[in-house]
Coordinates of all heavy atoms in Angstrom, one line a residue:
V1 N 109.4 63.5 180.2 CA 108.0 63.1 180.2 C 107.2 64.4 180.5 O 107.5 65.1 181.5 CB 107.7 62.0 181.3 CG1 106.2 61.8 181.4 CG2 108.5 60.8 181.0
Y2 N 106.2 64.6 179.7 CA 105.3 65.8 179.9 C 104.0 65.2 180.4 O 103.4 64.3 179.9 CB 105.1 66.5 178.5 CG 104.0 67.5 178.6 CD1 104.3 68.7 179.3 CD2 102.8 67.4 178.0 CE1 103.3 69.7 179.4 CE2 101.8 68.4 178.0 CZ 102.1 69.5 178.7 OH 101.1 70.5 178.8
T3 N 103.5 65.8 181.5 CA 102.3 65.4 182.2 C 101.3 66.6 182.0 O 101.4 67.6 182.7 CB 102.5 65.1 183.7 OG1 103.5 64.2 183.8 CG2 101.2 64.6 184.3
P4 N 100.3 66.4 181.1 CA 99.4 67.5 180.9 C 98.3 67.6 182.0 O 97.9 66.6 182.5 CB 98.7 67.1 179.5 CG 98.8 65.7 179.5 CD 100.1 65.3 180.2
Q5 N 98.0 68.8 182.3 CA 96.9 69.0 183.3 C 95.7 69.4 182.6 O 95.7 70.2 181.7 CB 97.3 70.1 184.3 CG 96.3 70.4 185.4 CD 96.6 71.6 186.3 OE1 97.2 72.5 185.8 NE2 96.1 71.6 187.5
L6 N 94.5 68.9 183.1 CA 93.2 69.3 182.6 C 92.4 69.9 183.7 O 92.4 69.4 184.8 CB 92.5 68.0 182.1 CG 91.1 68.2 181.6 CD1 91.1 69.1 180.3 CD2 90.4 66.9 181.3
V7 N 91.8 71.1 183.5 CA 90.9 71.7 184.4 C 89.6 71.8 183.7 O 89.5 72.4 182.7 CB 91.5 73.1 184.8 CG1 90.5 73.8 185.8 CG2 92.9 73.0 185.4
V8 N 88.6 71.3 184.3 CA 87.2 71.3 183.8 C 86.4 72.3 184.5 O 86.2 72.2 185.8 CB 86.6 69.9 183.8 CG1 85.2 69.9 183.3 CG2 87.4 68.9 183.1
N9 N 85.9 73.3 183.8 CA 85.0 74.3 184.4 C 85.6 75.1 185.6 O 84.9 75.5 186.4 CB 83.6 73.8 184.8 CG 82.7 73.8 183.6 OD1 83.0 74.2 182.5 ND2 81.5 73.2 183.8
G10 N 86.9 75.1 185.6 CA 87.6 75.8 186.6 C 87.6 75.2 188.0 O 88.0 75.8 189.0
T11 N 87.0 74.0 188.1 CA 86.8 73.4 189.5 C 87.4 72.0 189.6 O 87.9 71.7 190.7 CB 85.3 73.3 189.8 OG1 84.7 72.5 188.8 CG2 84.7 74.6 189.8
T12 N 87.5 71.2 188.6 CA 88.0 69.9 188.6 C 89.4 69.8 187.9 O 89.5 70.1 186.8 CB 87.0 68.9 188.0 OG1 85.8 69.0 188.5 CG2 87.5 67.5 188.1
E13 N 90.4 69.4 188.7 CA 91.7 69.2 188.1 C 92.1 67.8 188.1 O 91.9 67.0 189.0 CB 92.8 70.0 189.0 CG 92.5 71.5 189.1 CD 93.6 72.1 190.0 OE1 94.7 71.7 190.0 OE2 93.2 73.1 190.7
L14 N 92.7 67.4 187.0 CA 93.2 66.0 186.8 C 94.3 65.9 185.7 O 94.5 66.9 185.0 CB 92.0 65.0 186.5 CG 91.2 65.4 185.3 CD1 91.0 64.2 184.5 CD2 89.8 65.9 185.8
L15 N 94.9 64.8 185.6 CA 95.9 64.5 184.6 C 95.1 64.4 183.2 O 94.2 63.6 183.1 CB 96.7 63.3 184.8 CG 97.7 63.3 186.0 CD1 98.4 62.0 186.2 CD2 98.7 64.4 185.8
G16 N 95.5 65.2 182.3 CA 94.9 65.1 181.0 C 95.2 63.8 180.3 O 94.4 63.4 179.3
S17 N 96.2 63.1 180.7 CA 96.5 61.8 180.0 C 95.6 60.7 180.5 O 95.6 59.6 180.0 CB 98.0 61.5 180.3 OG 98.2 61.4 181.7
S18 N 94.8 61.0 181.5 CA 93.9 59.9 182.0 C 92.5 60.1 181.3 O 91.6 60.8 181.7 CB 93.6 60.1 183.5 OG 92.7 59.2 184.0
R19 N 92.4 59.4 180.1 CA 91.3 59.6 179.2 C 89.9 59.3 179.9 O 89.0 60.1 179.7 CB 91.5 58.7 178.0 CG 90.4 58.9 177.0 CD 90.7 58.1 175.7 NE 91.9 58.6 175.1 CZ 92.0 58.8 173.8 NH1 91.1 58.5 173.0 NH2 93.2 59.3 173.4
D20 N 89.8 58.2 180.6 CA 88.5 57.8 181.2 C 88.1 58.8 182.3 O 87.0 59.3 182.3 CB 88.6 56.4 181.9 CG 88.7 55.3 180.8 OD1 88.4 55.6 179.6 OD2 89.2 54.2 181.2
K21 N 89.0 59.3 183.1 CA 88.7 60.3 184.1 C 88.4 61.6 183.5 O 87.5 62.3 184.0 CB 89.9 60.4 185.2 CG 90.0 59.2 186.1 CD 91.1 59.4 187.1 CE 91.3 58.2 187.9 NZ 92.4 58.3 188.9
S22 N 89.1 61.9 182.4 CA 88.8 63.2 181.7 C 87.4 63.2 181.1 O 86.7 64.2 181.3 CB 89.9 63.4 180.6 OG 91.2 63.5 181.1
K23 N 87.1 62.1 180.5 CA 85.8 62.0 179.9 C 84.7 62.1 180.9 O 83.7 62.8 180.8 CB 85.6 60.7 179.1 CG 86.3 60.8 177.7 CD 86.1 59.5 177.0 CE 86.7 59.5 175.6 NZ 86.4 58.3 174.8
A24 N 84.9 61.4 182.1 CA 83.9 61.4 183.2 C 83.7 62.8 183.7 O 82.6 63.3 184.0 CB 84.3 60.5 184.2
A25 N 84.8 63.6 183.9 CA 84.8 64.9 184.5 C 84.0 65.8 183.5 O 83.2 66.7 183.9 CB 86.2 65.4 184.8
I26 N 84.3 65.7 182.2 CA 83.6 66.5 181.2 C 82.1 66.2 181.2 O 81.3 67.1 181.1 CB 84.3 66.4 179.8 CG1 85.7 67.0 179.9 CG2 83.5 67.0 178.7 CD1 86.6 66.6 178.7
Q27 N 81.8 64.9 181.2 CA 80.4 64.5 181.2 C 79.6 65.0 182.4 O 78.5 65.5 182.3 CB 80.2 63.0 181.1 CG 80.6 62.5 179.7 CD 79.8 63.1 178.6 OE1 78.6 63.2 178.7 NE2 80.5 63.4 177.5
T28 N 80.3 65.0 183.6 CA 79.6 65.5 184.8 C 79.4 67.0 184.6 O 78.3 67.5 185.0 CB 80.5 65.3 186.0 OG1 80.7 63.8 186.2 CG2 80.0 65.9 187.3
A29 N 80.4 67.7 184.1 CA 80.2 69.2 183.9 C 79.2 69.5 182.9 O 78.4 70.5 183.1 CB 81.6 69.8 183.5
I30 N 79.0 68.8 181.9 CA 78.0 69.0 180.8 C 76.6 68.9 181.4 O 75.7 69.6 181.0 CB 78.2 68.1 179.7 CG1 79.4 68.5 178.9 CG2 77.0 68.0 178.8 CD1 79.8 67.5 177.8
K31 N 76.4 68.0 182.4 CA 75.1 67.8 183.0 C 74.6 69.0 183.9 O 73.5 69.1 184.2 CB 75.1 66.5 183.7 CG 75.2 65.3 182.8 CD 75.3 64.0 183.6 CE 75.5 62.8 182.7 NZ 75.7 61.6 183.4
K32 N 75.6 69.8 184.4 CA 75.2 70.9 185.3 C 74.6 72.0 184.5 O 75.0 72.4 183.4 CB 76.5 71.4 186.0 CG 77.0 70.4 187.0 CD 78.2 71.0 187.7 CE 78.7 70.0 188.7 NZ 79.9 70.4 189.4
R33 N 73.6 72.7 185.0 CA 72.9 73.8 184.4 C 73.8 75.0 184.4 O 74.3 75.4 185.5 CB 71.6 74.1 185.1 CG 70.8 75.2 184.5 CD 69.5 75.4 185.3 NE 68.9 76.7 185.0 CZ 68.2 77.0 183.9 NH1 68.0 76.0 183.0 NH2 67.6 78.2 183.8
P34 N 74.1 75.6 183.3 CA 75.0 76.8 183.2 C 74.3 78.0 183.8 O 73.0 78.1 183.7 CB 75.2 77.0 181.7 CG 74.1 76.4 181.1 CD 73.6 75.2 181.9
R35 N 75.0 78.9 184.4 CA 74.5 80.2 184.8 C 74.5 81.3 183.8 O 73.9 82.3 183.9 CB 75.1 80.6 186.1 CG 76.6 81.0 186.0 CD 77.1 81.3 187.4 NE 78.3 82.1 187.3 CZ 79.0 82.6 188.3 NH1 78.6 82.3 189.5 NH2 80.1 83.3 188.2
S36 N 75.2 81.0 182.7 CA 75.3 81.9 181.6 C 75.1 81.2 180.3 O 75.4 80.0 180.2 CB 76.7 82.6 181.5 OG 76.9 83.3 182.7
N37 N 74.6 81.9 179.3 CA 74.5 81.3 177.9 C 75.4 82.0 177.0 O 75.5 83.3 177.0 CB 73.1 81.4 177.4 CG 72.1 80.5 178.2 OD1 72.5 79.3 178.4 ND2 71.0 81.0 178.6
I38 N 76.2 81.3 176.2 CA 77.1 81.9 175.3 C 76.8 81.4 173.9 O 76.6 80.2 173.6 CB 78.6 81.5 175.6 CG1 79.0 81.9 177.0 CG2 79.5 82.1 174.6 CD1 80.3 81.4 177.5
Q39 N 76.6 82.4 173.0 CA 76.4 82.1 171.6 C 77.7 82.4 170.8 O 78.1 83.6 170.9 CB 75.2 82.8 171.0 CG 73.9 82.5 171.6 CD 72.8 83.3 171.1 OE1 72.9 84.4 170.7 NE2 71.6 82.8 171.2
L40 N 78.3 81.5 170.1 CA 79.5 81.7 169.3 C 79.2 81.6 167.8 O 78.5 80.7 167.4 CB 80.6 80.7 169.7 CG 81.2 80.8 171.1 CD1 82.2 79.7 171.3 CD2 81.8 82.2 171.3
T41 N 79.7 82.4 167.0 CA 79.7 82.3 165.6 C 81.1 82.4 165.1 O 81.8 83.4 165.5 CB 78.8 83.5 165.0 OG1 77.5 83.4 165.6 CG2 78.7 83.3 163.5
T42 N 81.5 81.5 164.2 CA 82.8 81.5 163.7 C 82.8 81.6 162.2 O 81.9 81.1 161.6 CB 83.7 80.3 164.1 OG1 83.0 79.1 163.6 CG2 83.8 80.2 165.6
T43 N 83.8 82.3 161.6 CA 84.0 82.3 160.2 C 85.5 82.1 159.9 O 86.3 82.5 160.7 CB 83.5 83.6 159.5 OG1 84.2 84.7 160.2 CG2 82.0 83.8 159.7
T44 N 85.7 81.4 158.8 CA 87.1 81.2 158.5 C 87.4 81.7 157.1 O 86.6 81.7 156.2 CB 87.5 79.7 158.5 OG1 86.6 79.0 157.6 CG2 87.3 79.1 159.9
E45 N 88.6 82.2 157.0 CA 89.1 82.7 155.7 C 90.6 82.3 155.6 O 91.4 82.9 156.3 CB 88.9 84.2 155.5 CG 89.3 84.7 154.2 CD 89.0 86.2 154.0 OE1 88.0 86.7 154.6 OE2 89.7 86.9 153.3
G46 N 90.9 81.4 154.7 CA 92.3 80.9 154.7 C 92.6 80.3 156.0 O 92.0 79.4 156.5
N47 N 93.7 80.7 156.6 CA 94.2 80.2 157.9 C 93.8 81.1 159.0 O 94.3 81.0 160.1 CB 95.7 80.0 157.9 CG 96.5 81.3 157.7 OD1 95.9 82.3 157.4 ND2 97.8 81.2 157.9
K48 N 92.8 82.0 158.8 CA 92.3 82.9 159.9 C 90.9 82.5 160.3 O 90.1 82.1 159.5 CB 92.3 84.4 159.4 CG 93.7 84.9 159.1 CD 93.6 86.3 158.6 CE 95.0 86.9 158.3 NZ 94.9 88.3 157.8
V49 N 90.7 82.6 161.6 CA 89.4 82.3 162.2 C 88.9 83.6 162.9 O 89.6 84.2 163.7 CB 89.5 81.2 163.2 CG1 88.1 80.9 163.8 CG2 90.0 79.9 162.5
A50 N 87.7 84.0 162.6 CA 87.1 85.1 163.3 C 85.9 84.6 164.2 O 85.2 83.7 163.8 CB 86.5 86.1 162.3
V51 N 85.9 85.1 165.5 CA 84.9 84.6 166.4 C 84.1 85.8 166.9 O 84.6 86.8 167.3 CB 85.6 83.9 167.6 CG1 84.5 83.4 168.6 CG2 86.4 82.8 167.2
E52 N 82.7 85.7 166.8 CA 81.8 86.6 167.4 C 81.1 85.9 168.5 O 80.8 84.8 168.4 CB 80.9 87.2 166.4 CG 81.6 88.0 165.3 CD 80.6 88.6 164.3 OE1 79.5 89.0 164.8 OE2 80.9 88.7 163.2
W53 N 80.8 86.7 169.6 CA 80.1 86.0 170.7 C 79.1 87.0 171.4 O 79.2 88.2 171.2 CB 81.1 85.6 171.8 CG 81.8 86.7 172.5 CD1 81.4 87.4 173.6 CD2 83.1 87.2 172.1 NE1 82.4 88.3 173.9 CE2 83.4 88.2 173.0 CE3 84.0 86.9 171.1 CZ2 84.6 88.9 172.9 CZ3 85.1 87.6 171.0 CH2 85.4 88.6 171.9
K54 N 78.1 86.3 172.0 CA 77.1 87.0 172.7 C 76.9 86.2 174.0 O 76.7 85.0 174.0 CB 75.7 87.1 172.0 CG 74.6 87.8 172.7 CD 73.3 87.8 171.9 CE 72.2 88.4 172.7 NZ 71.0 88.4 171.9
I55 N 76.9 86.9 175.2 CA 76.8 86.3 176.5 C 75.6 86.8 177.2 O 75.5 88.0 177.4 CB 78.1 86.4 177.3 CG1 79.3 85.9 176.5 CG2 78.0 85.7 178.6 CD1 80.6 86.2 177.2
E56 N 74.7 85.9 177.6 CA 73.6 86.3 178.5 C 73.8 85.7 179.9 O 74.2 84.6 180.0 CB 72.3 85.7 177.9 CG 72.0 86.3 176.5 CD 70.8 85.6 175.8 OE1 70.3 84.7 176.4 OE2 70.3 86.1 174.8
G57 N 73.5 86.5 180.9 CA 73.6 86.1 182.2 C 75.0 86.1 182.8 O 75.3 85.5 183.8
L58 N 75.9 86.9 182.2 CA 77.3 87.1 182.7 C 77.3 87.7 184.1 O 76.6 88.7 184.3 CB 78.1 87.9 181.7 CG 79.6 88.0 181.9 CD1 80.2 86.6 181.7 CD2 80.2 89.0 180.9
Q59 N 78.0 87.1 185.0 CA 78.1 87.6 186.3 C 79.4 88.5 186.5 O 80.3 88.3 185.7 CB 78.1 86.5 187.4 CG 77.0 85.5 187.3 CD 75.7 86.1 187.6 OE1 75.5 86.7 188.6 NE2 74.7 85.9 186.7
S60 N 79.4 89.4 187.4 CA 80.5 90.3 187.5 C 81.9 89.6 187.8 O 82.9 90.0 187.5 CB 80.3 91.3 188.6 OG 80.1 90.7 189.9
D61 N 81.8 88.4 188.4 CA 83.0 87.6 188.7 C 83.3 86.5 187.7 O 84.2 85.8 187.9 CB 82.9 87.0 190.1 CG 81.8 86.0 190.3 OD1 80.8 86.0 189.5 OD2 81.9 85.1 191.2
D62 N 82.6 86.5 186.6 CA 82.8 85.5 185.6 C 84.1 85.9 184.8 O 84.4 87.0 184.5 CB 81.7 85.4 184.6 CG 80.5 84.6 185.2 OD1 80.7 84.0 186.3 OD2 79.4 84.7 184.6
L63 N 84.8 84.8 184.3 CA 85.9 85.0 183.4 C 85.7 84.1 182.2 O 85.4 82.9 182.4 CB 87.2 84.6 184.2 CG 88.5 84.5 183.3 CD1 88.9 85.9 182.8 CD2 89.6 83.9 184.1
V64 N 85.8 84.6 181.1 CA 85.6 83.8 179.8 C 86.9 83.6 179.2 O 87.7 84.6 178.9 CB 84.6 84.6 178.9 CG1 84.4 83.8 177.6 CG2 83.3 84.8 179.6
N65 N 87.3 82.3 178.9 CA 88.5 82.0 178.2 C 88.0 81.2 176.9 O 87.1 80.4 176.9 CB 89.4 81.0 179.0 CG 90.0 81.7 180.2 OD1 90.6 82.8 180.0 ND2 89.7 81.2 181.3
L66 N 88.7 81.5 175.8 CA 88.4 80.8 174.6 C 89.7 80.2 174.1 O 90.7 80.8 174.0 CB 87.9 81.9 173.5 CG 87.6 81.3 172.1 CD1 86.4 80.4 172.2 CD2 87.3 82.5 171.2
A67 N 89.6 78.9 173.7 CA 90.8 78.2 173.2 C 90.4 77.5 171.9 O 89.4 76.9 171.7 CB 91.2 77.2 174.2
L68 N 91.3 77.7 170.9 CA 91.2 77.0 169.7 C 92.0 75.7 169.8 O 93.2 75.7 170.1 CB 91.7 77.8 168.5 CG 91.7 77.2 167.1 CD1 90.3 77.0 166.7 CD2 92.4 78.2 166.2
V69 N 91.3 74.6 169.6 CA 92.0 73.3 169.8 C 91.8 72.4 168.5 O 91.0 72.6 167.7 CB 91.4 72.5 171.0 CG1 91.7 73.3 172.3 CG2 90.0 72.2 170.8
Q70 N 92.7 71.4 168.4 CA 92.6 70.4 167.4 C 92.2 69.1 168.0 O 92.6 68.8 169.1 CB 94.0 70.3 166.7 CG 94.4 71.5 165.9 CD 95.8 71.4 165.3 OE1 96.7 71.0 166.0 NE2 95.9 71.7 164.1
N71 N 91.5 68.3 167.3 CA 91.1 67.0 167.8 C 92.3 66.1 168.2 O 92.3 65.5 169.2 CB 90.2 66.2 166.8 CG 88.8 66.4 167.0 OD1 88.4 66.9 168.0 ND2 88.0 66.0 166.0
Q72 N 93.3 66.0 167.3 CA 94.4 65.2 167.6 C 95.7 65.7 166.9 O 95.6 66.1 165.8 CB 94.2 63.7 167.1 CG 95.3 62.8 167.4 CD 95.0 61.4 166.9 OE1 93.8 61.1 166.6 NE2 95.9 60.5 166.9
V73 N 96.7 65.8 167.7 CA 98.0 66.3 167.2 C 99.1 65.4 167.8 O 99.1 65.0 168.9 CB 98.3 67.8 167.7 CG1 99.6 68.2 167.2 CG2 97.2 68.7 167.2
E74 N 100.0 65.0 166.9 CA 101.1 64.3 167.3 C 102.4 65.0 167.0 O 102.5 65.6 165.9 CB 101.2 62.9 166.6 CG 100.0 62.0 167.1 CD 100.1 60.6 166.4 OE1 101.2 60.2 166.0 OE2 99.1 60.0 166.4
D75 N 103.3 65.0 168.0 CA 104.6 65.8 167.8 C 105.7 64.9 168.4 O 105.6 64.5 169.5 CB 104.5 67.1 168.4 CG 105.7 68.0 168.1 OD1 106.4 67.7 167.1 OD2 105.9 69.0 168.7
R76 N 106.7 64.7 167.7 CA 107.8 63.9 168.2 C 108.8 64.8 168.9 O 109.4 65.7 168.4 CB 108.5 63.2 167.0 CG 109.6 62.2 167.4 CD 110.3 61.6 166.3 NE 111.1 60.6 166.7 CZ 110.9 59.3 166.6 NH1 109.8 58.8 166.0 NH2 111.8 58.4 167.1
V77 N 109.0 64.5 170.2 CA 109.9 65.2 171.0 C 111.2 64.4 171.2 O 111.2 63.4 171.8 CB 109.3 65.6 172.4 CG1 110.3 66.3 173.3 CG2 108.0 66.4 172.2
E78 N 112.3 64.9 170.6 CA 113.6 64.2 170.6 C 114.2 64.2 172.0 O 114.8 63.2 172.4 CB 114.5 64.7 169.5 CG 113.9 64.6 168.1 CD 113.7 63.2 167.6 OE1 114.5 62.3 168.1 OE2 112.8 63.0 166.8
T79 N 114.2 65.4 172.6 CA 114.9 65.5 173.9 C 114.0 66.4 174.8 O 112.9 66.8 174.4 CB 116.3 66.2 173.8 OG1 116.1 67.4 173.2 CG2 117.2 65.3 173.0
G80 N 114.4 66.8 176.0 CA 113.6 67.6 176.9 C 113.3 68.9 176.4 O 114.0 69.9 176.8
E81 N 112.3 69.1 175.6 CA 112.0 70.3 175.0 C 110.7 70.9 175.6 O 109.7 71.2 174.9 CB 111.8 70.1 173.5 CG 113.0 69.7 172.8 CD 112.8 69.4 171.3 OE1 111.6 69.6 170.8 OE2 113.7 68.9 170.6
N82 N 110.6 71.0 176.9 CA 109.4 71.5 177.5 C 109.2 73.0 177.3 O 109.8 73.8 177.7 CB 109.4 71.2 179.0 CG 109.2 69.7 179.2 OD1 109.2 68.9 178.3 ND2 109.0 69.3 180.5

């Protein structure tokens, strides 16, 4: 059994498999005023994605992580393949 962890804005941790709690945590985070503004521009060519960004209000202790995700993925795990 794989138990995914979800961390929202680096402050709220919960089980990613808990859909209602995950949605609530994300909605709460969205309502908070950001201290930085990030503008992202993406272009795709074949199976490649290029990302350009501009950040306003970046603080010296800020850390920016970027993740490419898919809406839904299913994978059949036959045995303990963690």
Side-chain angles (χ1 to χ4, degrees):
V1 175
Y2 173 69
T3 306
Q5 179 187 28
L6 176 67
V7 180
V8 180
N9 276 356
T11 59
T12 305
E13 298 180 36
L14 55 130
L15 291 178
S17 58
S18 177
R19 184 175 294 223
D20 292 338
K21 289 181 182 179
S22 297
K23 284 183 177 181
I26 292 168
Q27 289 302 317
T28 298
I30 288 172
K31 292 176 185 175
K32 293 182 180 177
R33 180 176 165 82
R35 66 184 199 179
S36 301
N37 291 314
I38 302 173
Q39 295 176 335
L40 293 175
T41 304
T42 61
T43 55
T44 58
E45 185 176 326
N47 64 350
K48 295 181 180 180
V49 178
V51 180
E52 293 185 36
W53 64 87
K54 178 181 178 182
I55 303 174
E56 296 174 352
L58 189 65
Q59 306 295 312
S60 62
D61 62 338
D62 285 347
L63 173 65
V64 177
N65 292 303
L66 177 67
L68 179 63
V69 298
Q70 294 175 310
N71 265 347
Q72 182 175 349
V73 177
E74 293 184 19
D75 190 14
R76 186 179 188 109
V77 177
E78 300 295 332
T79 60
E81 300 174 2
N82 288 7

